[in-house]
DNA sequence: CGTCTTCTTTTGACTGAGTCAAATCAACGG
DNA sequence: CCGTTGATTTGACTCAGTCAAAAGAAGACG
């Protein structure tokens, strides 16, 4: 199951190295992690890996289309292996947790602007901001009202 | 026309100061600018303004709901005075130019995820990525094909 | 108008996230 | 097993933004 990384790397024209396999292993277990968390986790299997190596690996992986980088406002970049399906994200304002949202259209750009102003649009990036289940509970316990604002069902 | 800033600031419980008026003036003329550009432009009318003052002003303005902050991936935060209408943005991958996109729904959240995973969603942030008209021309002149990929008309 | 309180700005140090380049190291084709 | 070339390490550096103490100014009140 994990030797598949080897093929994916080689097919992408990349050499198979221990830093790359470690990072891929971390990404497989934890979707939506930042570079620092990846470095810490990767060190468990490859203790001598340097922070810069992690950046280098992530750049190689994203460049080759094996990983995806997202940058939710207010935090460091996050990486994931789920690529090529144009999915979107839910981000919790309370704790930063990120969850995947399937795109109902499937292919980019899944939305088209009402007026594209001359732009050739190739991607519609959608981030849903709100509170995760845990943070809703935590907030209501501390006296705040739970704001359950839901709009119509358009899908995304 | 510009004395309206005074009232807006006071109504928001903020004092009327020269740094704040300068920043508001810059934002009124240039939508979607970063803090550094604001500082440079504001210095034309208030030469002694410090970079930190700009950050402080911007935090006060956004906190009071007089300005909005957006953070397109790969660049510094941008600020604008157009607030409260839940509009979206087009960002050029070539030159970073940002254009507004009216939201056809008007109120947040204008989209609802297909599966909210227990989140209470209060906002759907949409960023359309592509190439602006100028960059399309520039690219085709240099031999690259113009990729005109347009999806269905959902509006945003 | 003058004074006093409180909010703002300034000054300057500092952090976090990421980049860049030179030197060392290791994958893998032959 | 060697040599080439790509990858990692090391270390310095940038950029965007934060934090806190000290100085300054807005504006409430007398
Ligand atoms: Mn995802
Ligand atoms: Mn805008
Ligand atoms: Zn949460
Ligand atoms: Zn452009």
């Amino acid at each position: 199951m994990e030797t598949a990384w080897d093929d994916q790397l080689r097919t992408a024209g990349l050499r198979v190295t221990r830093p790359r396999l470690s990072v891929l292993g971390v990404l497989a277990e934890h979707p939506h992690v930042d570079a620092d968390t990846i470095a810490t986790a990767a060190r468990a299997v490859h203790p001598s890996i340097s922070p810069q190596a992690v950046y280098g690996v992530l750049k190689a992986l994203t460049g080759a289309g094996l990983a995806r980088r997202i940058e939710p406002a207010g935090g460091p970049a996050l990486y994931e292996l789920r690529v090529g399906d144009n999915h979107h994200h839910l981000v919790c304002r309370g704790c930063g947790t990120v969850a995947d949202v399937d795109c109902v259209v499937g292919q980019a750009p899944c939305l088209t602007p009402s007026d594209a102003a001359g732009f050739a649009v190739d991607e519609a990036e959608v981030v849903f901001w709100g509170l995760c289940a845990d943070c809703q509970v935590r907030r209501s316990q501390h006296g705040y009202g739970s704001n359950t604002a839901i709009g119509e069902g358009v899908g995304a």
Side-chain angles (χ1 to χ4, degrees), chain A residues 2 4-10 14-30 33 38 42 45 49 57-58 61-62 66-67 80-81:
Chain A
E2 252 70 350
W5 300 140
D6 294 44
D7 298 334
Q8 296 220 61
L9 287 170
R10 265 188 270 262
L14 297 173
R15 290 185 181 170
V16 178
T17 68
R18 206 121 90 81
R20 286 174 179 167
L21 293 175
S22 326
V23 169
L24 284 168
V26 172
L27 287 174
E29 294 191 8
H30 315 292
V33 274
I38 293 171
V45 67
I49 193 173
V57 168
L58 290 171
L61 294 181
T62 51
L66 297 184
E80 65 182 339
L81 291 182

PDB file of all heavy atoms in Angstrom, chain A residues 2 4-10 14-30 33 38 42 45 49 57-58 61-62 66-67 80-81:
ATOM      1  N   GLU A   2       1.949   1.163   0.750  1.00  0.00           N
ATOM      2  CA  GLU A   2       2.771   2.381   0.800  1.00  0.00           C
ATOM      3  C   GLU A   2       3.870   2.415  -0.249  1.00  0.00           C
ATOM      4  O   GLU A   2       4.524   3.422  -0.446  1.00  0.00           O
ATOM      5  CB  GLU A   2       3.391   2.559   2.208  1.00  0.00           C
ATOM      6  CG  GLU A   2       2.771   3.681   3.015  1.00  0.00           C
ATOM      7  CD  GLU A   2       1.345   3.339   3.451  1.00  0.00           C
ATOM      8  OE1 GLU A   2       0.800   2.341   2.968  1.00  0.00           O
ATOM      9  OE2 GLU A   2       0.767   4.068   4.257  1.00  0.00           O
ATOM     10  N   ALA A   4       3.239   2.362  -3.184  1.00  0.00           N
ATOM     11  CA  ALA A   4       2.629   3.124  -4.273  1.00  0.00           C
ATOM     12  C   ALA A   4       3.231   4.516  -4.360  1.00  0.00           C
ATOM     13  O   ALA A   4       3.275   5.111  -5.428  1.00  0.00           O
ATOM     14  CB  ALA A   4       1.120   3.213  -4.065  1.00  0.00           C
ATOM     15  N   TRP A   5       3.711   5.037  -3.223  1.00  0.00           N
ATOM     16  CA  TRP A   5       4.370   6.349  -3.248  1.00  0.00           C
ATOM     17  C   TRP A   5       5.535   6.330  -4.221  1.00  0.00           C
ATOM     18  O   TRP A   5       5.734   7.261  -4.982  1.00  0.00           O
ATOM     19  CB  TRP A   5       4.905   6.725  -1.871  1.00  0.00           C
ATOM     20  CG  TRP A   5       3.895   6.821  -0.757  1.00  0.00           C
ATOM     21  CD1 TRP A   5       4.061   6.395   0.528  1.00  0.00           C
ATOM     22  CD2 TRP A   5       2.600   7.405  -0.797  1.00  0.00           C
ATOM     23  NE1 TRP A   5       2.958   6.677   1.268  1.00  0.00           N
ATOM     24  CE2 TRP A   5       2.044   7.301   0.478  1.00  0.00           C
ATOM     25  CE3 TRP A   5       1.850   8.002  -1.810  1.00  0.00           C
ATOM     26  CZ2 TRP A   5       0.772   7.769   0.793  1.00  0.00           C
ATOM     27  CZ3 TRP A   5       0.587   8.475  -1.510  1.00  0.00           C
ATOM     28  CH2 TRP A   5       0.061   8.354  -0.222  1.00  0.00           C
ATOM     29  N   ASP A   6       6.310   5.239  -4.161  1.00  0.00           N
ATOM     30  CA  ASP A   6       7.463   5.125  -5.038  1.00  0.00           C
ATOM     31  C   ASP A   6       7.072   5.367  -6.492  1.00  0.00           C
ATOM     32  O   ASP A   6       7.665   6.186  -7.181  1.00  0.00           O
ATOM     33  CB  ASP A   6       8.083   3.718  -4.917  1.00  0.00           C
ATOM     34  CG  ASP A   6       8.674   3.471  -3.539  1.00  0.00           C
ATOM     35  OD1 ASP A   6       8.015   3.817  -2.538  1.00  0.00           O
ATOM     36  OD2 ASP A   6       9.800   2.955  -3.479  1.00  0.00           O
ATOM     37  N   ASP A   7       6.047   4.661  -6.922  1.00  0.00           N
ATOM     38  CA  ASP A   7       5.630   4.784  -8.313  1.00  0.00           C
ATOM     39  C   ASP A   7       5.144   6.191  -8.629  1.00  0.00           C
ATOM     40  O   ASP A   7       5.478   6.754  -9.670  1.00  0.00           O
ATOM     41  CB  ASP A   7       4.520   3.765  -8.613  1.00  0.00           C
ATOM     42  CG  ASP A   7       5.021   2.337  -8.428  1.00  0.00           C
ATOM     43  OD1 ASP A   7       6.254   2.127  -8.570  1.00  0.00           O
ATOM     44  OD2 ASP A   7       4.200   1.458  -8.141  1.00  0.00           O
ATOM     45  N   GLN A   8       4.354   6.739  -7.711  1.00  0.00           N
ATOM     46  CA  GLN A   8       3.816   8.074  -7.957  1.00  0.00           C
ATOM     47  C   GLN A   8       4.936   9.085  -8.109  1.00  0.00           C
ATOM     48  O   GLN A   8       4.898   9.956  -8.981  1.00  0.00           O
ATOM     49  CB  GLN A   8       2.927   8.500  -6.784  1.00  0.00           C
ATOM     50  CG  GLN A   8       1.706   7.614  -6.621  1.00  0.00           C
ATOM     51  CD  GLN A   8       0.471   8.440  -6.276  1.00  0.00           C
ATOM     52  OE1 GLN A   8       0.065   9.309  -7.049  1.00  0.00           O
ATOM     53  NE2 GLN A   8      -0.097   8.193  -5.107  1.00  0.00           N
ATOM     54  N   LEU A   9       5.947   8.979  -7.245  1.00  0.00           N
ATOM     55  CA  LEU A   9       7.072   9.903  -7.318  1.00  0.00           C
ATOM     56  C   LEU A   9       7.824   9.718  -8.630  1.00  0.00           C
ATOM     57  O   LEU A   9       8.082  10.675  -9.360  1.00  0.00           O
ATOM     58  CB  LEU A   9       8.012   9.679  -6.129  1.00  0.00           C
ATOM     59  CG  LEU A   9       7.506  10.165  -4.761  1.00  0.00           C
ATOM     60  CD1 LEU A   9       8.405   9.680  -3.632  1.00  0.00           C
ATOM     61  CD2 LEU A   9       7.417  11.689  -4.749  1.00  0.00           C
ATOM     62  N   ARG A  10       8.154   8.476  -8.939  1.00  0.00           N
ATOM     63  CA  ARG A  10       8.949   8.229 -10.152  1.00  0.00           C
ATOM     64  C   ARG A  10       8.187   8.654 -11.398  1.00  0.00           C
ATOM     65  O   ARG A  10       8.751   9.280 -12.306  1.00  0.00           O
ATOM     66  CB  ARG A  10       9.337   6.753 -10.235  1.00  0.00           C
ATOM     67  CG  ARG A  10      10.725   6.486  -9.643  1.00  0.00           C
ATOM     68  CD  ARG A  10      11.181   5.058  -9.891  1.00  0.00           C
ATOM     69  NE  ARG A  10      10.754   4.185  -8.802  1.00  0.00           N
ATOM     70  CZ  ARG A  10      11.537   3.824  -7.790  1.00  0.00           C
ATOM     71  NH1 ARG A  10      12.790   4.253  -7.718  1.00  0.00           N
ATOM     72  NH2 ARG A  10      11.091   3.050  -6.833  1.00  0.00           N
ATOM     73  N   LEU A  14      10.257  12.405 -10.120  1.00  0.00           N
ATOM     74  CA  LEU A  14      10.947  12.760  -8.868  1.00  0.00           C
ATOM     75  C   LEU A  14      11.655  11.534  -8.302  1.00  0.00           C
ATOM     76  O   LEU A  14      11.151  10.412  -8.429  1.00  0.00           O
ATOM     77  CB  LEU A  14       9.935  13.281  -7.837  1.00  0.00           C
ATOM     78  CG  LEU A  14       9.185  14.558  -8.203  1.00  0.00           C
ATOM     79  CD1 LEU A  14       8.096  14.840  -7.169  1.00  0.00           C
ATOM     80  CD2 LEU A  14      10.152  15.734  -8.296  1.00  0.00           C
ATOM     81  N   ARG A  15      12.800  11.765  -7.668  1.00  0.00           N
ATOM     82  CA  ARG A  15      13.498  10.651  -7.054  1.00  0.00           C
ATOM     83  C   ARG A  15      12.793  10.228  -5.774  1.00  0.00           C
ATOM     84  O   ARG A  15      12.147  11.050  -5.122  1.00  0.00           O
ATOM     85  CB  ARG A  15      14.939  11.056  -6.720  1.00  0.00           C
ATOM     86  CG  ARG A  15      15.779  11.225  -7.964  1.00  0.00           C
ATOM     87  CD  ARG A  15      17.216  11.510  -7.608  1.00  0.00           C
ATOM     88  NE  ARG A  15      18.001  11.692  -8.824  1.00  0.00           N
ATOM     89  CZ  ARG A  15      19.249  12.134  -8.820  1.00  0.00           C
ATOM     90  NH1 ARG A  15      19.854  12.439  -7.679  1.00  0.00           N
ATOM     91  NH2 ARG A  15      19.896  12.267  -9.956  1.00  0.00           N
ATOM     92  N   VAL A  16      12.931   8.953  -5.451  1.00  0.00           N
ATOM     93  CA  VAL A  16      12.328   8.427  -4.229  1.00  0.00           C
ATOM     94  C   VAL A  16      13.318   8.601  -3.085  1.00  0.00           C
ATOM     95  O   VAL A  16      14.383   7.974  -3.092  1.00  0.00           O
ATOM     96  CB  VAL A  16      11.972   6.938  -4.400  1.00  0.00           C
ATOM     97  CG1 VAL A  16      11.393   6.384  -3.111  1.00  0.00           C
ATOM     98  CG2 VAL A  16      11.006   6.755  -5.560  1.00  0.00           C
ATOM     99  N   THR A  17      12.971   9.458  -2.153  1.00  0.00           N
ATOM    100  CA  THR A  17      13.877   9.725  -1.025  1.00  0.00           C
ATOM    101  C   THR A  17      13.131   9.563   0.296  1.00  0.00           C
ATOM    102  O   THR A  17      11.903   9.598   0.335  1.00  0.00           O
ATOM    103  CB  THR A  17      14.444  11.147  -1.086  1.00  0.00           C
ATOM    104  OG1 THR A  17      13.392  12.075  -0.854  1.00  0.00           O
ATOM    105  CG2 THR A  17      15.068  11.435  -2.437  1.00  0.00           C
ATOM    106  N   ARG A  18      13.936   9.452   1.364  1.00  0.00           N
ATOM    107  CA  ARG A  18      13.318   9.235   2.666  1.00  0.00           C
ATOM    108  C   ARG A  18      12.514  10.451   3.118  1.00  0.00           C
ATOM    109  O   ARG A  18      11.388  10.288   3.604  1.00  0.00           O
ATOM    110  CB  ARG A  18      14.391   8.885   3.704  1.00  0.00           C
ATOM    111  CG  ARG A  18      13.864   8.066   4.847  1.00  0.00           C
ATOM    112  CD  ARG A  18      14.585   6.743   4.943  1.00  0.00           C
ATOM    113  NE  ARG A  18      15.759   6.878   5.804  1.00  0.00           N
ATOM    114  CZ  ARG A  18      15.685   6.847   7.131  1.00  0.00           C
ATOM    115  NH1 ARG A  18      14.519   6.728   7.756  1.00  0.00           N
ATOM    116  NH2 ARG A  18      16.774   6.943   7.865  1.00  0.00           N
ATOM    117  N   PRO A  19      13.031  11.662   2.976  1.00  0.00           N
ATOM    118  CA  PRO A  19      12.213  12.818   3.348  1.00  0.00           C
ATOM    119  C   PRO A  19      10.866  12.829   2.628  1.00  0.00           C
ATOM    120  O   PRO A  19       9.832  13.087   3.242  1.00  0.00           O
ATOM    121  CB  PRO A  19      13.090  13.996   2.925  1.00  0.00           C
ATOM    122  CG  PRO A  19      14.480  13.489   3.046  1.00  0.00           C
ATOM    123  CD  PRO A  19      14.406  12.048   2.624  1.00  0.00           C
ATOM    124  N   ARG A  20      10.883  12.516   1.346  1.00  0.00           N
ATOM    125  CA  ARG A  20       9.622  12.555   0.600  1.00  0.00           C
ATOM    126  C   ARG A  20       8.653  11.492   1.067  1.00  0.00           C
ATOM    127  O   ARG A  20       7.458  11.753   1.205  1.00  0.00           O
ATOM    128  CB  ARG A  20       9.921  12.403  -0.903  1.00  0.00           C
ATOM    129  CG  ARG A  20      10.505  13.677  -1.468  1.00  0.00           C
ATOM    130  CD  ARG A  20      10.951  13.537  -2.908  1.00  0.00           C
ATOM    131  NE  ARG A  20      11.474  14.819  -3.381  1.00  0.00           N
ATOM    132  CZ  ARG A  20      12.158  14.987  -4.501  1.00  0.00           C
ATOM    133  NH1 ARG A  20      12.407  13.949  -5.287  1.00  0.00           N
ATOM    134  NH2 ARG A  20      12.597  16.174  -4.847  1.00  0.00           N
ATOM    135  N   LEU A  21       9.180  10.283   1.329  1.00  0.00           N
ATOM    136  CA  LEU A  21       8.280   9.231   1.801  1.00  0.00           C
ATOM    137  C   LEU A  21       7.730   9.557   3.182  1.00  0.00           C
ATOM    138  O   LEU A  21       6.555   9.315   3.466  1.00  0.00           O
ATOM    139  CB  LEU A  21       9.020   7.886   1.820  1.00  0.00           C
ATOM    140  CG  LEU A  21       9.400   7.368   0.420  1.00  0.00           C
ATOM    141  CD1 LEU A  21      10.234   6.100   0.524  1.00  0.00           C
ATOM    142  CD2 LEU A  21       8.147   7.116  -0.407  1.00  0.00           C
ATOM    143  N   SER A  22       8.569  10.152   4.036  1.00  0.00           N
ATOM    144  CA  SER A  22       8.087  10.507   5.374  1.00  0.00           C
ATOM    145  C   SER A  22       6.969  11.534   5.288  1.00  0.00           C
ATOM    146  O   SER A  22       5.941  11.408   5.955  1.00  0.00           O
ATOM    147  CB  SER A  22       9.216  11.096   6.222  1.00  0.00           C
ATOM    148  OG  SER A  22      10.445  10.512   5.922  1.00  0.00           O
ATOM    149  N   VAL A  23       7.178  12.560   4.461  1.00  0.00           N
ATOM    150  CA  VAL A  23       6.159  13.609   4.333  1.00  0.00           C
ATOM    151  C   VAL A  23       4.874  13.024   3.752  1.00  0.00           C
ATOM    152  O   VAL A  23       3.775  13.316   4.231  1.00  0.00           O
ATOM    153  CB  VAL A  23       6.681  14.768   3.466  1.00  0.00           C
ATOM    154  CG1 VAL A  23       5.548  15.713   3.103  1.00  0.00           C
ATOM    155  CG2 VAL A  23       7.784  15.514   4.198  1.00  0.00           C
ATOM    156  N   LEU A  24       5.013  12.181   2.750  1.00  0.00           N
ATOM    157  CA  LEU A  24       3.822  11.555   2.181  1.00  0.00           C
ATOM    158  C   LEU A  24       3.090  10.729   3.239  1.00  0.00           C
ATOM    159  O   LEU A  24       1.856  10.752   3.313  1.00  0.00           O
ATOM    160  CB  LEU A  24       4.213  10.662   0.989  1.00  0.00           C
ATOM    161  CG  LEU A  24       4.539  11.409  -0.306  1.00  0.00           C
ATOM    162  CD1 LEU A  24       5.185  10.487  -1.325  1.00  0.00           C
ATOM    163  CD2 LEU A  24       3.268  12.026  -0.889  1.00  0.00           C
ATOM    164  N   GLY A  25       3.859  10.039   4.074  1.00  0.00           N
ATOM    165  CA  GLY A  25       3.239   9.252   5.142  1.00  0.00           C
ATOM    166  C   GLY A  25       2.450  10.121   6.096  1.00  0.00           C
ATOM    167  O   GLY A  25       1.318   9.798   6.483  1.00  0.00           O
ATOM    168  N   VAL A  26       3.029  11.248   6.479  1.00  0.00           N
ATOM    169  CA  VAL A  26       2.334  12.161   7.396  1.00  0.00           C
ATOM    170  C   VAL A  26       1.052  12.690   6.747  1.00  0.00           C
ATOM    171  O   VAL A  26      -0.009  12.715   7.362  1.00  0.00           O
ATOM    172  CB  VAL A  26       3.246  13.342   7.791  1.00  0.00           C
ATOM    173  CG1 VAL A  26       2.472  14.378   8.584  1.00  0.00           C
ATOM    174  CG2 VAL A  26       4.448  12.841   8.577  1.00  0.00           C
ATOM    175  N   LEU A  27       1.167  13.114   5.479  1.00  0.00           N
ATOM    176  CA  LEU A  27      -0.001  13.664   4.790  1.00  0.00           C
ATOM    177  C   LEU A  27      -1.112  12.622   4.654  1.00  0.00           C
ATOM    178  O   LEU A  27      -2.295  12.960   4.709  1.00  0.00           O
ATOM    179  CB  LEU A  27       0.399  14.187   3.406  1.00  0.00           C
ATOM    180  CG  LEU A  27       1.204  15.483   3.408  1.00  0.00           C
ATOM    181  CD1 LEU A  27       1.666  15.832   2.005  1.00  0.00           C
ATOM    182  CD2 LEU A  27       0.377  16.613   3.998  1.00  0.00           C
ATOM    183  N   ALA A  28      -0.728  11.371   4.476  1.00  0.00           N
ATOM    184  CA  ALA A  28      -1.732  10.320   4.328  1.00  0.00           C
ATOM    185  C   ALA A  28      -2.539  10.153   5.608  1.00  0.00           C
ATOM    186  O   ALA A  28      -3.727   9.837   5.579  1.00  0.00           O
ATOM    187  CB  ALA A  28      -1.064   9.002   3.957  1.00  0.00           C
ATOM    188  N   GLU A  29      -1.880  10.379   6.750  1.00  0.00           N
ATOM    189  CA  GLU A  29      -2.586  10.193   8.024  1.00  0.00           C
ATOM    190  C   GLU A  29      -3.294  11.451   8.508  1.00  0.00           C
ATOM    191  O   GLU A  29      -4.303  11.376   9.192  1.00  0.00           O
ATOM    192  CB  GLU A  29      -1.611   9.717   9.099  1.00  0.00           C
ATOM    193  CG  GLU A  29      -1.054   8.328   8.798  1.00  0.00           C
ATOM    194  CD  GLU A  29      -0.307   7.760   9.990  1.00  0.00           C
ATOM    195  OE1 GLU A  29      -0.378   8.390  11.070  1.00  0.00           O
ATOM    196  OE2 GLU A  29       0.346   6.711   9.848  1.00  0.00           O
ATOM    197  N   HIS A  30      -2.694  12.617   8.227  1.00  0.00           N
ATOM    198  CA  HIS A  30      -3.301  13.863   8.696  1.00  0.00           C
ATOM    199  C   HIS A  30      -3.558  14.802   7.531  1.00  0.00           C
ATOM    200  O   HIS A  30      -2.642  15.484   7.079  1.00  0.00           O
ATOM    201  CB  HIS A  30      -2.374  14.569   9.689  1.00  0.00           C
ATOM    202  CG  HIS A  30      -1.781  13.677  10.719  1.00  0.00           C
ATOM    203  ND1 HIS A  30      -2.536  13.083  11.702  1.00  0.00           N
ATOM    204  CD2 HIS A  30      -0.510  13.279  10.951  1.00  0.00           C
ATOM    205  CE1 HIS A  30      -1.744  12.362  12.482  1.00  0.00           C
ATOM    206  NE2 HIS A  30      -0.508  12.457  12.045  1.00  0.00           N
ATOM    207  N   VAL A  33      -2.573  19.697   7.152  1.00  0.00           N
ATOM    208  CA  VAL A  33      -1.566  20.051   8.162  1.00  0.00           C
ATOM    209  C   VAL A  33      -0.614  21.099   7.610  1.00  0.00           C
ATOM    210  O   VAL A  33      -0.382  21.185   6.408  1.00  0.00           O
ATOM    211  CB  VAL A  33      -0.717  18.840   8.594  1.00  0.00           C
ATOM    212  CG1 VAL A  33      -1.408  18.094   9.705  1.00  0.00           C
ATOM    213  CG2 VAL A  33      -0.404  17.935   7.421  1.00  0.00           C
ATOM    214  N   ILE A  38       4.006  18.933   9.915  1.00  0.00           N
ATOM    215  CA  ILE A  38       4.536  17.869   9.065  1.00  0.00           C
ATOM    216  C   ILE A  38       5.964  17.539   9.480  1.00  0.00           C
ATOM    217  O   ILE A  38       6.339  16.376   9.628  1.00  0.00           O
ATOM    218  CB  ILE A  38       4.500  18.277   7.582  1.00  0.00           C
ATOM    219  CG1 ILE A  38       3.056  18.384   7.106  1.00  0.00           C
ATOM    220  CG2 ILE A  38       5.283  17.292   6.724  1.00  0.00           C
ATOM    221  CD1 ILE A  38       2.908  18.996   5.724  1.00  0.00           C
ATOM    222  N   ALA A  42       7.052  14.020  10.787  1.00  0.00           N
ATOM    223  CA  ALA A  42       7.964  13.280   9.919  1.00  0.00           C
ATOM    224  C   ALA A  42       9.228  12.882  10.672  1.00  0.00           C
ATOM    225  O   ALA A  42       9.846  11.856  10.388  1.00  0.00           O
ATOM    226  CB  ALA A  42       8.329  14.124   8.700  1.00  0.00           C
ATOM    227  N   VAL A  45       9.712   9.326  11.999  1.00  0.00           N
ATOM    228  CA  VAL A  45      10.179   8.232  11.146  1.00  0.00           C
ATOM    229  C   VAL A  45      11.528   8.549  10.516  1.00  0.00           C
ATOM    230  O   VAL A  45      12.240   7.658  10.077  1.00  0.00           O
ATOM    231  CB  VAL A  45       9.127   7.912  10.064  1.00  0.00           C
ATOM    232  CG1 VAL A  45       8.999   9.064   9.092  1.00  0.00           C
ATOM    233  CG2 VAL A  45       9.483   6.647   9.316  1.00  0.00           C
ATOM    234  N   ILE A  49      15.391  14.933   9.526  1.00  0.00           N
ATOM    235  CA  ILE A  49      14.822  15.780   8.472  1.00  0.00           C
ATOM    236  C   ILE A  49      14.786  17.246   8.921  1.00  0.00           C
ATOM    237  O   ILE A  49      14.402  17.554  10.040  1.00  0.00           O
ATOM    238  CB  ILE A  49      13.419  15.283   8.060  1.00  0.00           C
ATOM    239  CG1 ILE A  49      12.976  15.953   6.756  1.00  0.00           C
ATOM    240  CG2 ILE A  49      12.413  15.558   9.155  1.00  0.00           C
ATOM    241  CD1 ILE A  49      11.680  15.385   6.203  1.00  0.00           C
ATOM    242  N   VAL A  57      10.352  19.454  -0.078  1.00  0.00           N
ATOM    243  CA  VAL A  57       9.526  18.308  -0.456  1.00  0.00           C
ATOM    244  C   VAL A  57       8.124  18.780  -0.823  1.00  0.00           C
ATOM    245  O   VAL A  57       7.568  18.383  -1.849  1.00  0.00           O
ATOM    246  CB  VAL A  57       9.454  17.291   0.700  1.00  0.00           C
ATOM    247  CG1 VAL A  57       8.365  16.261   0.440  1.00  0.00           C
ATOM    248  CG2 VAL A  57      10.802  16.615   0.886  1.00  0.00           C
ATOM    249  N   LEU A  58       7.561  19.658  -0.010  1.00  0.00           N
ATOM    250  CA  LEU A  58       6.199  20.126  -0.272  1.00  0.00           C
ATOM    251  C   LEU A  58       6.117  20.880  -1.592  1.00  0.00           C
ATOM    252  O   LEU A  58       5.148  20.755  -2.332  1.00  0.00           O
ATOM    253  CB  LEU A  58       5.717  21.004   0.890  1.00  0.00           C
ATOM    254  CG  LEU A  58       5.469  20.236   2.187  1.00  0.00           C
ATOM    255  CD1 LEU A  58       5.212  21.200   3.350  1.00  0.00           C
ATOM    256  CD2 LEU A  58       4.292  19.278   2.017  1.00  0.00           C
ATOM    257  N   LEU A  61       6.219  18.192  -4.274  1.00  0.00           N
ATOM    258  CA  LEU A  61       4.964  17.442  -4.345  1.00  0.00           C
ATOM    259  C   LEU A  61       3.845  18.262  -4.967  1.00  0.00           C
ATOM    260  O   LEU A  61       3.086  17.768  -5.807  1.00  0.00           O
ATOM    261  CB  LEU A  61       4.546  16.967  -2.941  1.00  0.00           C
ATOM    262  CG  LEU A  61       5.460  15.931  -2.271  1.00  0.00           C
ATOM    263  CD1 LEU A  61       4.911  15.543  -0.901  1.00  0.00           C
ATOM    264  CD2 LEU A  61       5.610  14.691  -3.147  1.00  0.00           C
ATOM    265  N   THR A  62       3.726  19.525  -4.546  1.00  0.00           N
ATOM    266  CA  THR A  62       2.657  20.347  -5.120  1.00  0.00           C
ATOM    267  C   THR A  62       2.958  20.636  -6.587  1.00  0.00           C
ATOM    268  O   THR A  62       2.054  20.616  -7.417  1.00  0.00           O
ATOM    269  CB  THR A  62       2.495  21.674  -4.350  1.00  0.00           C
ATOM    270  OG1 THR A  62       3.767  22.314  -4.229  1.00  0.00           O
ATOM    271  CG2 THR A  62       1.940  21.435  -2.964  1.00  0.00           C
ATOM    272  N   LEU A  66       1.087  16.026  -6.805  1.00  0.00           N
ATOM    273  CA  LEU A  66       0.814  14.945  -5.847  1.00  0.00           C
ATOM    274  C   LEU A  66       0.208  15.475  -4.561  1.00  0.00           C
ATOM    275  O   LEU A  66      -0.360  14.737  -3.769  1.00  0.00           O
ATOM    276  CB  LEU A  66       2.105  14.184  -5.516  1.00  0.00           C
ATOM    277  CG  LEU A  66       2.780  13.462  -6.674  1.00  0.00           C
ATOM    278  CD1 LEU A  66       3.980  12.671  -6.176  1.00  0.00           C
ATOM    279  CD2 LEU A  66       1.778  12.530  -7.340  1.00  0.00           C
ATOM    280  N   ALA A  67       0.375  16.759  -4.315  1.00  0.00           N
ATOM    281  CA  ALA A  67      -0.202  17.358  -3.115  1.00  0.00           C
ATOM    282  C   ALA A  67      -0.800  18.706  -3.479  1.00  0.00           C
ATOM    283  O   ALA A  67      -0.510  19.274  -4.526  1.00  0.00           O
ATOM    284  CB  ALA A  67       0.856  17.520  -2.021  1.00  0.00           C
ATOM    285  N   GLU A  80      -2.441  18.799   1.623  1.00  0.00           N
ATOM    286  CA  GLU A  80      -3.254  17.584   1.608  1.00  0.00           C
ATOM    287  C   GLU A  80      -2.947  16.793   0.344  1.00  0.00           C
ATOM    288  O   GLU A  80      -2.466  17.340  -0.648  1.00  0.00           O
ATOM    289  CB  GLU A  80      -4.738  17.931   1.654  1.00  0.00           C
ATOM    290  CG  GLU A  80      -5.227  18.674   0.427  1.00  0.00           C
ATOM    291  CD  GLU A  80      -6.705  19.037   0.522  1.00  0.00           C
ATOM    292  OE1 GLU A  80      -7.415  18.402   1.300  1.00  0.00           O
ATOM    293  OE2 GLU A  80      -7.121  19.970  -0.186  1.00  0.00           O
ATOM    294  N   LEU A  81      -3.249  15.494   0.397  1.00  0.00           N
ATOM    295  CA  LEU A  81      -2.993  14.632  -0.760  1.00  0.00           C
ATOM    296  C   LEU A  81      -4.185  14.539  -1.694  1.00  0.00           C
ATOM    297  O   LEU A  81      -4.057  14.047  -2.809  1.00  0.00           O
ATOM    298  CB  LEU A  81      -2.619  13.223  -0.287  1.00  0.00           C
ATOM    299  CG  LEU A  81      -1.262  13.100   0.419  1.00  0.00           C
ATOM    300  CD1 LEU A  81      -1.000  11.652   0.800  1.00  0.00           C
ATOM    301  CD2 LEU A  81      -0.151  13.629  -0.489  1.00  0.00           C
TER     302      LEU A  81
END
